[in-house]
Amino acid sequence: LLLREKNRKNLDEVADGKIFPSIMEFSQILFTFFLVCIEWVFFRADNVKQAYYYISGIFSRSLFEIPFINIERLEVIIILIVLIIIEWLNRSKTHVLQDLKFNRLGRWSIYLTLSLLIIINSQNTDTFIYFQF
């Protein structure tokens, strides 16, 4: 019970009652995101050497070059930004559509639209990561 209580110190919502997080909260969010992304490289790589080469490629000089953005990528980036903003603004709710007063048809229209956007933009034919185990 004592150990359980010790691990319960970070249960509050990020930026509770504010639109934007503090600089400290934002840096913690970015640091956690960075660590998870680096961990994914090691999880996906066949061995540590391959993961090292991949990570060294990420942090090469090309990190500071401006990438070429074609129209297809721009659409995906815009969709992601909109979805991140919607999720951030509704972070204290159980689900995004909780406070919106939609009838069943309206809710299912949104669900189907999002599902179609996912299907249309999922052109990658790689197998899901867990299928290799």
Side-chain angles (χ1 to χ4, degrees):
L1 183 65
L2 184 60
L3 182 61
R4 180 193 266 168
E5 295 301 319
K6 263 183 150 176
N7 292 329
R8 299 269 186 201
K9 54 184 166 178
N10 294 320
L11 295 176
D12 295 333
E13 179 182 314
V14 176
D16 192 21
K18 301 180 286 184
I19 293 180
F20 298 110
S22 67
I23 293 173
M24 181 66 162
E25 289 173 326
F26 187 71
S27 64
Q28 290 171 340
I29 292 169
L30 285 181
F31 184 67
T32 302
F33 179 74
F34 171 77
L35 288 179
V36 169
C37 288
I38 295 299
E39 179 269 331
W40 282 344
V41 171
F42 285 98
F43 184 70
R44 180 70 175 166
D46 292 332
N47 53 42
V48 175
K49 187 176 182 179
Q50 183 186 25
Y52 170 76
Y53 285 129
Y54 191 77
I55 290 173
S56 64
I58 291 173
F59 294 106
S60 66
R61 291 182 184 212
S62 67
L63 179 66
F64 301 104
E65 294 176 2
I66 298 173
F68 173 72
I69 298 178
N70 61 18
I71 299 299
E72 293 172 6
R73 287 186 188 169
L74 186 60
E75 290 173 355
V76 172
I77 290 171
I78 290 170
I79 290 169
L80 284 174
I81 289 171
V82 168
L83 291 176
I84 288 170
I85 290 170
I86 290 170
E87 182 65 31
W88 180 260
L89 294 175
N90 292 297
R91 67 189 179 279
S92 63
K93 297 174 179 59
T94 306
H95 56 85
V96 175
L97 302 176
Q98 181 176 342
D99 288 341
L100 299 177
K101 305 296 184 214
F102 286 115
N103 59 13
R104 180 175 281 182
L105 179 65
R107 271 195 332 269
W108 278 100
S109 298
I110 292 173
Y111 296 151
L112 290 174
T113 302
L114 290 174
S115 298
L116 286 173
L117 283 172
I118 291 169
I119 291 169
I120 289 169
N121 288 305
S122 62
Q123 299 169 358
N124 190 354
T125 58
D126 289 343
T127 59
F128 187 60
I129 187 170
Y130 295 110
F131 291 162
Q132 68 184 353
F133 296 112

